[in-house]
Amino acid sequence: MLYPLFRFAPAVIFGTAVLACAPAVQLPENLPTPLVTEEPAQPLLDVGELPSQLAPDMAITPDEEGISTDLWSYVGRQLQWHSINNKQVTKQFEWYRSHPAYLYRVSERATPYLYHIVNTLEQRGLPMELALLPIVESAYDPLAYSHGRAAGLWQFIPGTGRQFGLEQNWWYDGRRDVVASTRAALRYLEQLNLDFNGDWLLTLAAYNSGPGRVKRAMEANDRRNLDVDFWSLPLPRETRAYVPDRKSTRLNSSHSSVSRMPSSA
């Protein structure tokens, strides 16, 4: 079973579902892999050898009201993008909610990396919702590899990876380096967000399909005196579904009945 990048919006949903469903679910054996991956014979990353600062104990000290019990709960309480009641998002949310075993598996896979990503987002002042992006991109698998040659947690293609400083050679692929690729991905997202005037929906669409394609779609709508927000653009089908997938993951993370995303500029 394939779960391509276009399911990004439900990734927002995923967060809510992870928080609500994953801890109580028994993981069945022989579940299908959510992404088509090609793993090297010699793994480039041994989770068991991760430094403690990258994968510390996931428990978080409860706050004054005793609310925080783990890192996913903390992430859920930091999500701030406003709600959008959208049929696409709701559909993706329902898919995640009806597949709790998948959410359990992805949340377990994220355990060694989530603290580092959350910490880096806070240091850079970026939305906590971006911690859910690897759910849709790679199912939090640093060895994920797509047919389009995208690799790693953040699914960089070779050219974009090199553009943002990720070395790639016979012995090392920076796209699969959790620390290096996270730094590169957040730099890329920051740049895209500046290019699209702070509109996170367009930022995510550009991350998925490329900024040039999104800008051309905006120019085409502008010539026809049409709106240039994400929901109005003539984008590829997978990109139009990718953002709702990301939104639905956001919904899952916040335990809401509708997903939360930023408003369009």
Side-chain angles (χ1 to χ4, degrees):
M1 182 179 294
L2 304 181
Y3 299 90
L5 297 183
F6 71 77
R7 303 193 76 106
F8 176 62
V12 180
I13 295 182
F14 162 89
T16 306
V18 166
L19 300 179
C21 304
V25 174
Q26 296 298 317
L27 182 61
E29 296 181 356
N30 302 320
L31 283 174
T33 303
L35 287 175
V36 173
T37 62
E38 298 176 8
E39 300 184 3
Q42 297 297 324
L44 300 180
L45 179 64
D46 184 348
V47 175
E49 297 179 359
L50 286 172
S52 59
Q53 64 267 29
L54 178 60
D57 186 345
M58 300 298 283
I60 289 181
T61 303
D63 59 20
E64 295 179 358
E65 298 180 357
I67 295 176
S68 297
T69 58
D70 57 47
L71 189 52
W72 279 119
S73 295
Y74 178 79
V75 169
R77 299 207 328 276
Q78 304 304 310
L79 304 180
Q80 298 179 357
W81 289 350
H82 78 79
S83 300
I84 291 180
N85 192 347
N86 181 285
K87 189 177 297 185
Q88 290 175 279
V89 176
T90 300
K91 179 180 178 180
Q92 298 287 26
F93 171 72
E94 292 299 329
W95 187 93
Y96 279 107
R97 191 167 63 175
S98 64
H99 293 79
Y102 172 71
L103 297 179
Y104 179 91
R105 181 174 59 185
V106 176
S107 66
E108 288 292 296
R109 189 180 293 142
T111 297
Y113 321 118
L114 187 61
Y115 176 88
H116 173 71
I117 291 173
V118 168
N119 189 49
T120 305
L121 286 171
E122 291 188 327
Q123 289 177 352
R124 300 179 80 104
L126 290 170
M128 190 59 66
E129 281 82 354
L130 297 181
L132 306 176
L133 182 53
I135 294 167
V136 175
E137 290 289 346
S138 64
Y140 258 104
D141 180 0
L143 299 180
Y145 191 87
S146 76
H147 289 306
R149 301 174 63 210
L153 284 183
W154 301 92
Q155 289 292 281
F156 275 102
I157 60 174
T160 306
R162 284 190 289 270
Q163 180 182 347
F164 285 88
L166 297 178
E167 183 181 353
Q168 299 157 58
N169 56 46
W170 182 266
W171 304 105
Y172 170 79
D173 189 340
R175 298 175 299 166
R176 288 171 165 167
D177 181 321
V178 173
V179 174
S181 65
T182 295
R183 180 171 58 247
L186 298 187
R187 283 179 53 212
Y188 186 29
L189 286 162
E190 287 171 334
Q191 177 179 303
L192 290 173
N193 196 240
L194 287 174
D195 291 345
F196 290 98
N197 300 314
D199 188 319
W200 280 106
L201 294 185
L202 296 178
T203 297
L204 296 176
Y207 189 89
N208 174 249
S209 64
R213 176 171 286 177
V214 175
K215 289 177 181 178
R216 289 192 295 273
M218 294 174 69
E219 291 168 357
N221 270 23
D222 189 54
R223 287 193 297 269
R224 293 181 292 170
N225 294 317
L226 299 175
D227 291 337
V228 294
D229 60 284
F230 168 78
W231 302 106
S232 303
L233 296 181
L235 294 168
R237 184 165 62 95
E238 72 171 41
T239 302
R240 285 185 282 113
Y242 174 86
V243 171
D245 194 8
R246 167 65 181 77
K247 291 182 171 186
S248 63
T249 310
R250 160 65 180 83
L251 175 56
N252 280 319
S253 296
S254 62
H255 296 269
S256 302
S257 57
V258 291
S259 75
R260 302 188 177 191
M261 286 292 285
S263 54
S264 299

